[in-house]
Each structure stands twice: as structure tokens, then as C-alpha cells.
Amino acid sequence: MSAVAAWATRHAKAVLAVAALLAVVAAAGAADLSTDAGTDTLVDTDTASYRATEEVRAAFGEEPVVVVAEGDLQQLVLTANLGRLLRLEGCLAARPPEGAEPLPGPCAELARMEPVRSVVGPATFLNEATIQIGRQLRRLVQRVPPERLRELLLSFAARYGITSSPSLSNPDFLAAVVFDLRRQRATPKSRLAYLFPNRRSTQIVVRLKPDLSDDDRRRAIELIRAAVFDTTPRRACAFQGQPEACFALRGGRYVVTGVPIVIQGVADALEHELLVLLAVAVLAMALTLWLVFRSRFRLLPLGISLGAAALTFGLLDLFGGSLTLASIAVLPILVGLAVDYAIQFQARYDEAVETGASGELAARRAVGAGGPTIATATLATAAGFLALQLSPTPMVRDFGWLLILGIGIAFALALTAGFAALALRRGGQAGVPGQGDGAPRPRKVRPRIPDLHASRPRRVVVVGVALAVAGWGAGTQVGVESDIRELAPQDVEAVQDLNEAQQATGVSGELDVVVRAGDLTDPATLEWMAGFKTRALAAGGYTGGNPSCLDAELCPGPALSDLVGAGDGGLTREGVRGTLRQVPDYDLEKLATLDRQTGLPAGTALLSFGIRAQDLDEQQELIEDVRGAVGDPPEGVEVQLAGVPVIAAQAASDLSGSRYWLTLAGLVAVGLVLLVAYRSVWRAVVPLVPIVLATGWGALLVWMLGVPLNPMSAALTALTIAIATEFSVLLTARFHEEREGGASPQRAIDTAYGLTGSAVLASGATAIVGFAVLVVSDVRMLRDFGLVTVIDLSVALLAVLVALPAVLLWADGRR
């Protein structure tokens, strides 16, 4: 390392030019990084829930885009608004009325792109009901003798409430189809809740094709929104002789939401968040360095850190990576850590200059004295980050890898470009009068640590342990906030629309249940399916004489069993198949995969439930209740839960569950690195003691302040351990260096903290500021994560400055 630093000083200008060029090129590449807020960042692709979700996606399309129409339901479906909804559904499905061209604008482009797999909406449903019921009545008239026809029509009316001719222009017929005449006025039927959630809303469910590129998916979402809110008057949509906007509701309004829109909105917000955090991080670091780092070229470490960050994210782009919620957090953290390495080397260089060395000789002395210790501390930090690879969450593992890559680049830059820049500063190459040979000068040591530890080091350690034990107990009482609506960026329009849609309909997402069976027309399978749906809804609170999606955690969605009237018994295979043959393939394909030869459902069926956004722990409990409602399906039937709600709840559970053992793994990993480096149990254990104490102190402070944890902050305590260990290792190593040079224990403490302590304090301050930058984030998950980590890291730095001297003296005396 000394030879590398010396070479960098000899070729200072060339080294700096190459480093700057690489950083600029990398920054340009990083600017093209795509964002990823998809499900593969939350759970492994080999998990059952992920595979089932991908199966649903491949067979039935993407997670739904939902167009909610708010307003009095009678005004929405019993007036001319129904025609507007029918035109909108035809536009979104790229199925204009027979013989007509698509409307110009977004509808025409949707027709050209054909990005939509299926559309389920109230107007299409009512139109199909009109056609099918009319067809059945005509068959009835043709086949039944006149003397029995009246009796059958009366029984038909008594059973279904239909007493007039089927027609979209017949309000009585439409009301009989949509509303439950046995319940409060204008209350929609429970089994149609997926289309008519309540008396104040209806919704259109759109599934995009699964093979769309990211750009095509983004464009499709833009076109859907543009079509819904298109207010251009058109002659083709004249009302009472006057052109009007084709889809604009009278007495109602639209909200467009759904998982694809929220993911896209969060991804766009992440791109903006990266720029904001970078700007704030640069300003905060510059101010911190100016205030706490007493050295010439005091802003040089910031330049080194920005170069390291640019190279890290440039390599991420080069190898096809993407930005996630966690990798966004890497940026300010990495800037703080990279500043740290540059500060440590520069502090050692300044020490060498004070002894009379300059240029290449000062670089050699600085690296020879501090390089092994700084490298060991870097490896220990990397080992702490490596422990994050044990996390069950891909996003956290990628976070760890990115930090390991970043600190490696930061160390290399500090060793090369850092010393090259120091060699070019005024006086960097010139000798010092009387000391041109670099002979040592007496060092001025200024004690900076109070004598609290000197007389009774054991008492300091005992008090520290007692506080830590209290903190570990209190830490188990700190709650974890996991409601995705609260943790997402609140100023993103997609999140606001999601909240509004949930207020209007009671749901904001879809819980899918995949049913696999060789024969989906088997009456036993369909009867089980109907029973399971009833049990699941009861578990979700959708039960009783007057169930409501606004009050329940689950809302009924469509199922194959609904089409054949399963649940009352008496089904036969012939009757089931006869009924299903009357259903158009376009409608059947939304509920099951079809056998190519028979055209009947076979293979995979989809049951869906509307689900509200809520605390992910509660959502996980609900999902487990739904799993419990599966019961004992018929032989040969397999059942698997799928969808983003399942994956999100599982990810939150995995993150919270890994909270303690990831911390333990981080400590073990750091300890092993130190044991290998020093080949001494004492040398490996002593630096960890204040860090272990700090985990308890930090938990106690978080509990006392009432700061909430979230799945991210709960899982990344190992991150604090990895970072804070460096401070402890640097000071411990300097203490032993002084002791081996003949200094007394107290003199060694004073020297270590008087010289290296200043650099450690500056490093700690910049690392803390790196996390504090996250507090300004619009994303609450990042904001709370930053706040908790600032508390933990500040306490860790305090432990290193206060408890470590006592531990060092006590351990030295024991030896």
C-alpha cells in the first residue's frame, strides 16, 4: 500500500486526471439507471408466493389497473352515464363498437399498441348480461309451450327480480341485475362487489399484458390515464345533439389507481429522490468537513467520496443493476463512509508532514503507519455488510453488496487519488527546513478525553453493561410501522389516488388465489371453490346480513364457481359444462385457462379478492386466515395464494423476523475478521465491546424517544455495527501502537485520542450526517430509517469515545 501511495504522488496529475475522467463517465452512466419497485426486490424468485404471482401474471395479465367511478351508483348505471362507461371500457379494451373506428387520441393509440389483456367493467358486464338473459328468454319462448311459459316467467322473475325486457336503456332491468332488492335501497348485490363495491362507486378492472417492456408499460399507463381524463368534445359522443367529452361522467368523477400505477409513481419518485439526496448530502458533508476537520484541503475527502459514489453507481448501471428503495439509501451513506477513509489517510499524512516529511515520503509514512489499521477497519466494515447477505429480502442483500463495492472503491481512491491530491497542495513536495530527510519531530499531543475512565474503568464498563441490558429489553417493546400507505412518499399522486380509491371502495389491491386442477368443471372442485370463497370472506369480515367492502378487510371478487351457481349443491358435470359453454371465451379467460380442444376451463383457475392497504403485520395475519380457509380441497387440487399483497406482507415479516439474528451475524462476521487480522482474541474482542454496548444504548434511546421502526430500519442494525466498528478499530489500533512504542496506558490513551481521535470524530460526524440526510427524504421509510440509524450511530460514536478508553485500560490491566 505504501508503494501504491508513493507511485500516486509521483504521478499525481495523471492519477487525478484519470480518476476524474472515470468518475465523470461513471456519473453519466449512473444517470441512466432505471428504477425498480417491483416484487422481485421484496422476495426471492424461488419462493412459492413469487412463483404463484408470476403464474397469475403469465396466465391472466399484470396486477390490475383500476378505474374507480365515484358518485351515486344509481346515477352511474341507470342513466346515460352507463353509455359513457361502456365507451370507456371499449376504449381501454381496444374494442370499439362493431363497425366503428377507435376514437382519436389515446383510444386510437391504445388500439394500435394493444397493451391490455382484459377489461372487466360494470357497463361491459351489464351489456353481456343483457345479451345472455335476452338469449335465454328467447330460447325459453321458443321451446316452452305457451301454457307453461307464464309460470316459468313468473318463477324467473321471483328468483332474479327481472320483470321487464333486458335492455341497457331499461332502468328497471338494470336495477334488478345490480341491486339487492332485499336490502337497503340502491345496495348492490354482494356477489357483484368486485364491480359495484358500494352505493357510491363502481370500478373498471384492467389487466395489462405480461410481456410488455418497461417503456411500453409506462406508455400504456399514461394512455389509460389520458383516455379516462380526456375532456375533448367529440361529435361521435354527442349528448342531446351537442358534442361532449366521451367519458366524462355527469355527477361523478374518476380515480385511476392500482399496483402498476403505484409502482410506476414510486419509481419516478425514487429517481427524483436520488437527485435531492445527492444535493443535500454534498452540502451537508461540505459544511461538516469545514467545521470538524482541521486540515488543509479539508474538502478533499468530499471530492474523493463523490468520485467513489459515481464509480459505484456507474458500475451498477454497467452490470445491468437498477435503483431500489434500499439502493437509494446507499448514496448518502456511501458518501459519508468514503469521506471517512479519505479523512483517516489525510490525517496520517498531516502527522507525517508535522514530523518533517513531505511528498512521497509523507505518503509512505502515512500509509505505513495507518494503512494496515485502516484496511483492517475497512475489511471489518465490509464483513458487517456481508452479514446482510443472510437477509431473506433481495433488496437488503443488494443494499449490502452495493455498500461493499462502494467502500472498496472509496478505499482505493483514497489511497491513490487522495495522496495524489495531497502531493499537489502547496508545500506538498517541498522539504521542510532542517528536516529535508524527513527525520521525525516531536509530536504535540493534546488529551481530548475526560478522565472518567482512568480511575475506575471497571465501574464505567459495569454501568455501560447495565444500560445496555435495559436497552435490549426496552428494544423488544418498540413497535414496527409497516403500513405501506404511511411509508410511501405522500406527495406522489399515485399514492394519493390509492388512498382516495380505498376510501371510496374499501379496497386498494387484489389478493389472488391460484387453483390448479386437471378438470375445473368437476362439481366437487367447484363446490369446494364456493365454500372456500365464503370461508375466506368470513375471515376477512365480509359476512352477516349486510356485508360491506368499506368495513371488511376482504371484498369478494369473481370466481369460476359464481358462473355455475356453486354452493347450493346439486351440480352435475353435464350441467356445469353446458352452462360454461354459454359463456364467451373472452369472459372465461379472465377466470381460468381454457382447454384448446374443448374450450372449457382446465389447468388453472383464479379467485380474486379485493383487499385494503393496512399494516403489513395485520395483513399477514389476514393472509394466514385465508390460507386456513382453504380447508381440505378435493384430491388433485392445489391451492396457492399470490399477488403483491401476499409478497409485501411476507417481505415485511421476513425483515422483522431477521432483526435480531442479522445483528448477531454482523457482530460475528466483524469479530472473525478482526481475529484473523490480529490473531488475538483480546485484540478482536475489545473493539467490539463498546459497539455491543451501543446496540443496547441505542435501543433504549429509541424506546425513550418513541421513534417508530419500520421493516427497513428494524433489519439494518447490522449496518450500524459495521460502520461504528471502524471507529473502535482505529482507536484501539492506535492505542496498541503507542503501547508497543513504550507509552504508559494513560499516555497511550491520550495520544490515541489526541491524534487519531480527532480524525475519528470527523469521520463519525460525516457518517452521521450521511444518514441524517435521509431525514429530509419524502419517503417515510427512508426518513425513519435515517433517524433511527442517526440515533444508533451517534450512540455508537459516544460509546467509542467514552466506554472504549475504560475497556482498553481494564483489558490492558487484566493482561
Side-chain angles (χ1 to χ4, degrees), residues 524-536:
T525 299
L526 292 168
E527 292 288 358
W528 165 84
M529 196 180 295
F532 161 68
K533 182 176 180 179
T534 300
R535 293 190 297 272

Side-chain angles (χ1 to χ4, degrees), residues 458-480:
R458 180 181 296 180
R459 179 173 298 179
V460 173
V461 174
V462 170
V463 172
V465 170
L467 289 175
V469 171
W472 293 328
T476 61
Q477 306 303 311
V478 178
V480 179

Side-chain angles (χ1 to χ4, degrees), residues 224-240:
I224 290 173
R225 292 185 61 88
V228 170
F229 297 112
D230 186 4
T231 58
T232 306
R234 304 189 188 280
R235 291 187 178 277
C237 304
F239 180 71
Q240 296 180 349

